[in-house]
Amino acid sequence: MDYFVIVNKAIEYIEKNIKEKITLEGAAEAVAISPFHFHRIFSAFTGFSFMEYIRKRKLYIAINELIKEKKSILETAVEFGYSTNESFSRAIQKEFGYN
């Protein structure tokens, strides 16, 4: 089993579903291995836990959309799974150090 291929397939799955609720179990199922084994492989290859990777990707894409598409903060926050613009702003502050 080629772990590099598994991680690449998982990242493709994540990118296709980035605006949806993504679970470790769903991603593991998409690459046809157990969630435990998948998490170990994914973390070893990316240097991040699965959920940390998802959170970072969502924030990077959301900020990119805010800048390029001139969407409102609330609209973008809701689109990426945050319930309020305050929680979205706190996540950005925590990740990037600015709001």
Side-chain angles (χ1 to χ4, degrees):
M1 188 179 300
D2 187 359
Y3 293 153
F4 184 74
V5 172
I6 289 171
V7 172
N8 277 335
K9 283 183 181 179
I11 289 172
E12 287 175 12
Y13 172 81
I14 292 166
E15 293 300 319
K16 281 184 194 174
N17 298 289
I18 197 71
K19 293 183 181 179
E20 307 299 323
K21 182 173 172 34
I22 301 172
T23 63
L24 176 70
E25 292 77 14
E29 186 178 319
V31 295
I33 60 174
S34 76
F36 175 77
H37 196 57
F38 171 72
H39 189 265
R40 284 189 23 226
I41 294 167
F42 191 87
S43 296
F45 271 77
T46 64
F48 302 107
S49 72
F50 180 74
M51 292 312 293
E52 184 180 6
Y53 181 86
I54 298 294
R55 184 178 45 79
K56 287 178 180 291
R57 282 301 297 149
K58 282 188 177 198
L59 287 174
Y60 278 104
I61 293 169
I63 287 174
N64 198 21
E65 285 191 13
L66 277 172
I67 293 167
K68 288 185 177 180
E69 298 181 20
K70 308 282 190 212
K71 290 182 176 181
S72 74
I73 293 174
L74 180 58
E75 181 183 3
T76 304
V78 170
E79 188 175 349
F80 283 91
Y82 291 88
S83 56
T84 65
N85 60 340
E86 290 85 9
S87 61
F88 181 61
S89 294
R90 276 193 306 272
I92 291 172
Q93 173 71 34
K94 184 177 178 183
E95 182 65 33
F96 303 109
Y98 61 85
N99 44 349

